[in-house]
Amino acid sequence: TGASGFIGGSLVAALIRVGCLVRRHSRRPLPPPGKSSAQIEDVHGDPYDPSLWRDAVRDIDTIFHCAAQTSVYAATNDPASDLRANVELPLLILEAARAYGARPAFVLASTATVVGLPSRLPVDESVPPHPVTAYDIGKWAAENYLELFVRLGHVTGAALRLANVYGPGLGSSSAERGILNKTIRLALSGKPIVLYGDGNWIRDYVFIDDVVAAFLLAGLAGGRTNGKAFFVCSGTGITVAEAFRQVVEIVRAKTGRSATIEPAPLPEGLSPIEFRNFVGRWDAFAQATGWRPATEFGDGIARTVAAFCSSP
């Protein structure tokens, strides 16, 4: 699901190189898959119609659920709509999987921000969730439904608590998501990059190829993940200000284009989650699946710059 989005689209791009059946669903128009070793089927219809999912999960071994409402601010303004998108929708798909009875793997795209504002770093799975936004409450609820359905024997799978994902691929549908990718595009265009406040909040940036690998390995893990939630992250912290500075330097080194970073006062009405510091630990997920992050920050930025320069 969410096959036209950043993570879902990147998963599809990886899977079409494999001799398998890929069934795609998205609210937005889906681009033609191009050259593919896979059989591609597109699913259209109302995502809140249970019959859509009863048909969609037939003959499916693994469900990658990437569709979501991703804006913290939209969730704050309309928590009921966010609940529907981020809790009701995965529950409908889980129910369809239960009814079909084939016990597929279900890999849920969750978020590292379910832990709220952690008091210590790095953060591992022993830190209890403490959501501070309606968006994160919904994601945590979806994690719990997945764990329940695994415990009842209807599916296998895991929830992946994603840190800040960046890299080549389709853009995010939410203005406050994909900030690092937007910063790279600004630097490539030579436009000023606005840094709000001092930018000293720590983030854990994880490259899209590593995230795709995490989804694929989670889908293959069977019962080893036991329906649990795992952090998918780089394990390395970098401040927002330093990340922007490295983007400017790498773009200059690769293209000769110069961009400036312009400080600005913090906008009013920011969510508390914007002021978090986060660095995750990926050890538990590595033990369950063998995954580990393979892309260092500077290399990921350079690869993203190259991809953006080569795309039309």
Side-chain angles (χ1 to χ4, degrees):
T1 69
S4 65
F6 181 31
I7 294 170
S10 299
L11 269 168
V12 170
L15 288 166
I16 63 173
R17 300 193 293 267
V18 182
C20 62
L21 165 65
V22 177
R23 197 167 284 154
R24 310 184 298 176
H25 181 272
S26 175
R27 296 185 188 189
R28 288 183 281 172
L30 290 162
K35 185 177 180 182
S36 172
S37 299
Q39 177 187 346
I40 307 295
E41 295 180 1
D42 289 339
V43 176
H44 302 287
D46 178 4
Y48 299 108
D49 177 0
S51 65
L52 175 81
W53 301 113
R54 286 195 293 269
D55 292 336
V57 302
R58 293 186 184 278
D59 305 316
I60 292 299
D61 302 300
T62 307
I63 300 165
F64 297 110
H65 182 55
C66 302
Q69 189 293 115
T70 60
S71 169
V72 168
Y73 298 98
T76 299
N77 293 331
D78 190 353
S81 293
D82 181 80
L83 183 75
R84 198 170 192 215
N86 287 334
V87 184
E88 181 183 346
L89 181 54
L91 182 56
L92 286 171
I93 303 170
L94 285 165
E95 274 286 273
R98 179 191 62 79
Y100 183 51
R103 202 166 179 252
F106 190 106
V107 186
L108 172 71
S110 188
T111 174
T113 54
V114 295
V115 296
L117 308 174
S119 59
R120 61 175 176 84
L121 301 177
V123 179
D124 62 20
E125 289 77 8
S126 69
V127 176
H130 191 270
V132 297
T133 72
Y135 167 77
D136 293 307
I137 288 173
K139 284 295 191 180
W140 188 29
E143 290 183 5
N144 281 274
Y145 273 115
L146 173 56
E147 186 176 23
L148 172 66
F149 273 67
V150 171
R151 188 165 68 248
L152 295 175
H154 303 316
V155 297
T156 63
L160 304 187
R161 291 176 175 170
L162 305 177
N164 290 69
V165 185
Y166 73 101
L170 298 168
S172 171
S173 60
S174 173
E176 72 262 21
R177 297 283 169 171
I179 298 300
L180 197 58
N181 277 12
K182 293 181 176 69
T183 301
I184 294 169
R185 291 195 182 278
L186 284 171
L188 285 169
S189 69
K191 296 178 181 177
I193 298 164
V194 177
L195 177 66
Y196 293 108
D198 58 18
N200 284 331
W201 305 287
I202 299 170
R203 299 290 188 264
D204 186 321
Y205 296 101
V206 60
F207 191 62
I208 184 61
D209 289 5
D210 293 337
V211 172
V212 168
F215 273 85
L216 297 176
L217 286 168
L220 293 169
R224 295 196 305 276
T225 54
N226 203 28
K228 295 179 180 177
F230 299 92
F231 288 107
V232 172
C233 54
S234 70
T236 300
I238 181 171
T239 66
V240 174
E242 175 62 16
F244 284 13
R245 187 189 66 80
Q246 288 196 38
V247 165
V248 169
E249 288 186 355
I250 291 169
V251 166
R252 184 183 296 119
K254 296 290 182 182
T255 69
R257 302 171 196 171
S258 295
T260 59
I261 299 175
E262 298 185 355
L266 290 169
E268 294 183 0
L270 289 178
S271 168
I273 202 66
E274 307 280 14
F275 304 103
R276 73 192 182 280
N277 292 312
F278 179 83
V279 182
R281 291 192 63 170
W282 44 265
D283 311 54
F285 189 57
Q287 290 173 12
T289 66
W291 179 86
R292 63 184 302 119
T295 311
E296 294 185 356
F297 183 77
D299 181 48
I301 295 297
R303 289 167 62 181
T304 307
V305 168
F308 286 176
C309 288
S310 64
S311 62

